[in-house]
């Protein structure tokens, strides 16, 4: 299994909101991430749903600058596609 396929599998969450958000991000951005960012994303998707959700919603602080950057980028996918920011 490729690393991207593994990440996609880990994006299948118990929370539909996270499923949709993470899948959109991985589908669109993963191939452009450098190794450091891919490792940061892997750390995020290996978290438990409540912790990851708290990070995505800004209720918890990320542990690293890489995670903070990724979370900022992931949040852009909260809006329905095709709507203004």
């Amino acid at each position: 299994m490729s690393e991207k396929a593994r990440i996609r599998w880990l994006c299948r969450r118990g929370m539909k909101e996270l499923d949709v958000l993470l899948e959109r991000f991985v589908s669109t951005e993963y191939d452009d991430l450098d190794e450091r960012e891919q490792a940061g994303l892997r750390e995020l998707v290996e978290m438990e749903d409540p912790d990851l959700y708290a990070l995505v919603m800004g209720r918890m602080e990320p542990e690293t600058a890489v995670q903070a950057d990724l979370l900022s980028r992931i949040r852009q996918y909260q809006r329905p596609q095709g709507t203004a920011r």
Side-chain angles (χ1 to χ4, degrees):
M1 176 181 289
S2 73
E3 184 64 13
K4 184 176 181 179
R6 182 174 178 272
I7 294 294
R8 278 197 138 129
W9 177 254
L10 291 171
C11 288
R12 296 176 55 123
R13 313 301 295 204
M15 297 177 72
K16 183 67 172 175
E17 297 86 349
L18 288 176
D19 279 0
V20 171
L21 187 62
L22 294 172
E23 177 58 32
R24 285 179 185 166
F25 179 77
V26 170
S27 294
T28 307
E29 303 285 333
Y30 187 83
D31 293 332
D32 295 327
L33 299 178
D34 63 31
E35 288 181 26
R36 185 177 50 93
E37 292 168 323
Q38 289 177 358
L41 180 60
R42 187 172 42 257
E43 290 170 1
L44 289 173
V45 298
E46 288 176 345
M47 291 180 170
E48 296 295 323
D49 284 352
D51 294 334
L52 180 55
Y53 188 73
L55 284 167
V56 169
M57 294 294 112
R59 297 179 186 144
M60 199 166 99
E61 292 295 317
E63 294 180 7
T64 67
V66 171
Q67 287 180 353
D69 178 59
L70 286 167
L71 289 163
S72 175
R73 293 164 64 184
I74 289 168
R75 286 182 193 112
Q76 294 176 14
Y77 290 87
Q78 287 179 309
R79 295 169 191 84
Q81 292 177 336
T83 61
R85 293 179 188 219

